[in-house]
Structure formats: structure tokens, C-alpha cells
Amino acid sequence: MTLAALLATPATNPDARVHSRGDRYVVIDDLLPRADFEDTAEAFTRIRLKPVLSTIDPVYDGFAHRGGEDKQPLGRSADDAPRWQRAVKEQIAAHLDLLGAPGREEDLSLTLSAWGYSAGSRLSWHNDAGAGRIGAYVYFTHRTWSADWGGGLALIDEESRADAAEGPALVHSATHPALVLPRPNRLIVFRAHTMHSVQRVDATAGDRLRRTWTGFITEDTP
């Protein structure tokens, strides 16, 4: 197969499926074929992650681990782009209606950062508003995970209110949070101004990291 033919072939697994969706989010399982996911998971283990304090609640969230940051056009990929990047872009482009941006693929950019959450860490409720963001994505790249280990992504499927960042106010939200578990090879795409949080990783996770590629879909260009 030629390079041109390979690049013309979708990177998304033909067996990928929508696990669940709401008004402001979609969950896609088995994003990559098994061999491509194994390559992605192995490559992630070689990324140098550095501890960083939470920008939401640096006192109680604990340290996360971050590696690298890139920004790319949503509508284009380099010839040597990893398969996971191409697949994530394909799925975001396929769900731009969810982000309120149908048909605007060529006007948008994507940021890409590697993240690891260890036992004891979390990310408090926030809505990713501002900085030209219209949405975000989370792609789980650990090979195994247990529901007992925590680290789920909780979302409130409604547009955030002015007081949404206040914990007591969230308790009175009309919508119950949806909890998306960190299933390997699972992609979540959701709209900005949606309250969400990373639930604390439990001590039973041991030395395992909740590993993700995470980033924003933005209206500005690189």
C-alpha cells in the first residue's frame, strides 16, 4: 500500500462504536484497532511526564503529571502523525455539531498534551471556558483500569451557570452528573462550558497512572 493510500484510509477502528452520548458529550469506545492501540499505549510509556500543580485547586487536587504540548490544525495531519492523532481528529470532525461548529473543521485547531494522574490526585470541577475553546477531548491510553481505582470523568450535561464553579451550587444542579469510566482506548469529546471533573484516583491503583492524551478544540489557528 502506498503512503497516499494509507493516509487516505481512516485511522479510526472500523469497529469503533458510540458507547453513550448526551446533549454536550459523546463517548466512543475502541477508537483504534488493537495493534494501533498497543503501539499508542507503548509510546505513551516513553513520554517524560513532569509533576504539575492543578490550576483549578492546587491545594487539594494534588499533583498531576504532564508531558509535551502541541497545537495543530484540526483539518490536517502530518504524513507521520501517530494513528491516535488522526483518529481523534476524525472523530472530533464527525461530531462538530455537538460542539456547535458544524462544517467548520478547517477553521479550528487542536491542542495535544499527555497527562498522568497517580493515586491521590484529582481535578476539581471546571468548565474549560475562555481562550477561544469550543470543546475538549480525553483519550485513555493505559492498557488496563479498574472501576475501583477511581479517575472517572464526571460531566454535568448542561451549559454551566455563572455560579457553576462553586461546589455547593453544583449540588443543586437540575442535571445529575454522568460518570465516564477510564476504559482503555476510549475517547470522550465534549463541549466547552460543560462542568466536569476528574475523580480522585484511589490508593488501590498503586503505582498505575491514569494515562490520557487530552486537549482543547479552539477557534484560533496555530
Side-chain angles (χ1 to χ4, degrees):
M1 180 179 290
T2 66
L3 177 60
L6 181 62
L7 293 176
T9 303
T12 299
N13 184 2
D15 296 325
R17 64 191 185 279
V18 173
H19 171 275
S20 54
R21 68 167 71 233
D23 292 335
R24 305 175 69 85
Y25 73 93
V26 61
V27 180
I28 300 157
D29 279 351
D30 301 325
L31 176 71
L32 292 178
R34 173 52 56 182
D36 289 338
F37 175 69
E38 285 297 324
D39 289 344
T40 299
E42 177 59 30
F44 195 102
T45 65
R46 296 192 296 268
I47 298 172
R48 184 180 179 185
L49 301 177
K50 298 180 179 180
V52 292
L53 278 172
S54 166
T55 58
I56 308 301
D57 189 339
V59 175
Y60 294 109
D61 284 352
F63 282 95
H65 298 79
R66 185 178 187 180
E69 184 170 4
D70 193 11
K71 190 174 185 180
Q72 302 177 6
L74 176 61
R76 299 186 300 279
S77 293
D79 291 350
D80 60 349
R83 301 281 287 180
W84 75 265
Q85 288 185 17
R86 291 179 53 208
V88 165
K89 288 182 178 182
E90 289 166 3
Q91 291 305 308
I92 291 173
H95 292 92
L96 285 180
D97 56 333
L98 183 79
L99 306 180
R104 294 184 53 204
E105 181 179 353
E106 297 301 323
D107 301 326
L108 302 173
S109 294
L110 189 73
T111 65
L112 311 99
S113 295
W115 287 90
Y117 281 80
S118 57
S121 61
R122 69 172 190 183
L123 186 60
S124 298
W125 289 96
H126 60 291
N127 66 5
D128 287 343
R133 299 167 185 154
I134 67 168
Y137 70 93
V138 177
Y139 176 50
F140 296 108
T141 63
H142 38 249
R143 288 187 173 95
T144 184
W145 199 260
S146 168
D148 291 333
W149 299 343
L153 181 71
L155 305 97
I156 297 182
D157 193 21
E158 62 184 22
E159 184 171 1
S160 57
R161 308 180 309 274
D163 63 353
E166 301 175 12
L170 282 179
V171 172
H172 299 287
S173 173
T175 303
H176 292 294
L179 180 62
V180 183
L181 298 178
R183 185 181 192 269
N185 206 12
R186 168 175 280 175
L187 172 68
I188 309 158
V189 180
F190 56 96
R191 194 164 181 167
H193 289 274
T194 302
M195 293 302 297
H196 60 284
S197 68
V198 175
Q199 303 295 284
R200 196 178 301 278
V201 178
D202 193 78
T204 54
D207 61 357
R208 301 174 184 88
L209 286 180
R210 174 194 187 270
R211 297 173 175 171
T212 68
W213 281 103
T214 301
F216 302 113
I217 303 102
T218 66
E219 292 183 315
D220 54 335
T221 54

